[in-house]
Amino acid sequence: ENITDVKRAVVESIEGISSICEESAASTEEVAATIQNQFSSVQNINDAAKQLLEVEKGLKAAINQFKVD
């Protein structure tokens, strides 16, 4: 092999590594976006559960008004 062949092989290797890094970065961004969406969904579920608890308390209070001892 001569210097030109070695240089070409090194450049091709660096380009391959660069391509893999770009793909990895894109995948990481997609994972981060998915995690953010899931976090938002969990927050929405938590908010809905809190609202449901408040409704349950209101219903319990209403039922207690009609209890006969």
Side-chain angles (χ1 to χ4, degrees), residues 14-40:
I14 291 171
E15 288 173 347
I17 291 169
S18 176
S19 176
I20 290 169
C21 288
E22 288 176 6
E23 291 173 8
S24 178
S27 294
T28 300
E29 288 178 6
E30 289 176 13
V31 168
T34 300
I35 289 171
Q36 181 61 40
N37 288 340
Q38 288 179 342
F39 181 73
S40 293

Side-chain angles (χ1 to χ4, degrees), residues 51-68:
Q51 290 175 354
L52 187 58
L53 181 62
E54 292 303 315
V55 169
E56 183 265 342
K57 288 178 183 177
L59 287 172
K60 206 177 248 188
I63 289 171
N64 285 336
Q65 289 179 354
F66 297 102
K67 270 191 177 176
V68 177

Side-chain angles (χ1 to χ4, degrees), residues 42-55:
V42 169
Q43 284 183 317
N44 290 340
I45 291 169
N46 188 44
D47 291 344
K50 287 178 182 178
Q51 290 175 354
L52 187 58
L53 181 62
E54 292 303 315
V55 169

